[in-house]
Amino acid sequence: MKIASYNVENLFDMHRDGTEYEEYIPNGDWGWTDEMYRTKLNHTAQVIAGVHADIIALQEIESLNALKDLKAEINRQGLYYPYYAFAKTRNSAVNVALLSRYPIQSALKYPVNYSGKYRDILEAKIDINGTSLRVFVNHWKSKSGPESERIACAKRLLLRLKELPKDEPYILVGDFNSHFEEYKTFLKSRKLNDTEGITGINHILHTVDEKNNPITYTALQHDQGAHYNLWYELSPEKRWSHEFRGKGEGLDNIIIPHSLADERGIEYVSGSFNRYDPDYLFYKGKIYRWQQSRHYPKHHLGEGYSDHLPVFALFRL
């Protein structure tokens, strides 16, 4: 079973809701037309069909209509997802979703708070041949704000995780807007580090120990409170899925608990984590994101894919 995560970069439909970014106002000045929307759907579906996951978490989906249109386009490209879940956050321009080839038993969303400032966390309980797996889809607050905002997301997620039975299998996926070693990368930024070195992804979710050593897969097997970030499965030069100012960042994470490494029920296939990085997702050495002209008149070019690469991992019963 393959589980993946992909930030598709701004999939907006053609219905005007009033929360759209300026560039994606239907038939607005930027030229977000039905033809452009169909092109974006086609390109996004091409990537998802290429990943060919059994379950894929998605970020930056505007609406349920956009998700259904994407699902239909993926089907036209040869991959059928019978089941889906979507979490609409009040007043949010983009939201999280999930597509699955396995039945979804239930889908819930958890607001970080009720201000509308944070995107809701989606929890989908999925039936894997008679065994349940909970998938938590995240899209945490961006780094335009300080780390305390991502800690708020991490604490809300952890609160829900503590409500689960001790050996409940679950997986944490999505765009955490946090490097897998955020505790190292944010220290020199006064703008980000308003928490005295504490990070949501590393310290609240316990992907590092009390000495800031990363939790290893072996340590995970003996620590029920820890989480293991699968980026450590790759060689250092490939540990990134997004570029910011020319530097690679591992913002798209797949994180597993002890229950997926205890040799019972659903198990992570050790060493199977990877990013989906075929040549067509790059242009001139950089990720081939969805292209927009910045010259007047500003407009969409109908080229490119997303500013993130998908990531995936294998699991077995």
Side-chain angles (χ1 to χ4, degrees), residues 137-176:
V137 186
N138 297 264
H139 189 189
W140 290 3
K141 202 78 172 84
S142 77
K143 290 186 182 180
S144 61
E147 182 61 20
S148 56
E149 296 181 340
R150 285 168 293 286
I151 281 186
C153 299
K155 285 183 174 179
R156 181 62 187 96
L157 176 59
L158 187 63
L159 181 65
R160 172 57 183 149
L161 297 180
K162 288 182 175 180
E163 295 174 345
L164 301 177
K166 184 174 63 173
D167 295 323
E168 182 90 3
Y170 63 83
I171 180 172
L172 313 178
V173 298
D175 178 0
F176 291 74

Side-chain angles (χ1 to χ4, degrees), residues 28-29 50 58 92 112 116 128 133 166 206 231 252 269 284 291 313:
D29 293 341
L58 302 171
S92 178
V112 175
I128 312 294
L133 174 68
K166 184 174 63 173
H206 191 12
W231 275 115
D252 304 279
V269 178
K284 294 184 177 180
Q291 297 295 297

Side-chain angles (χ1 to χ4, degrees), residues 6-26:
Y6 185 32
N7 182 325
V8 305
E9 192 185 12
N10 297 330
L11 180 61
F12 284 83
D13 64 21
M14 292 303 296
H15 181 269
R16 185 161 185 169
D17 298 306
T19 55
E20 293 89 354
Y21 301 141
E22 178 187 0
E23 307 96 298
Y24 293 93
I25 295 174

Side-chain angles (χ1 to χ4, degrees), residues 13 20-21 37 39-40 44 58 63 65 84 92-93 100 113 130 135 148 156 198 201-202 215 220 227 249 275 279 298:
D13 64 21
E20 293 89 354
Y21 301 141
Y37 174 49
T39 301
K40 174 70 172 177
T44 305
L58 302 171
S63 65
N65 285 335
Y84 60 90
S92 178
S100 176
N113 63 30
V135 180
S148 56
R156 181 62 187 96
I198 302 300
I201 192 169
N202 300 127
I215 298 295
L220 180 74
H227 289 98
E249 298 180 314
R275 62 183 198 182
D279 290 343
K298 298 175 181 179

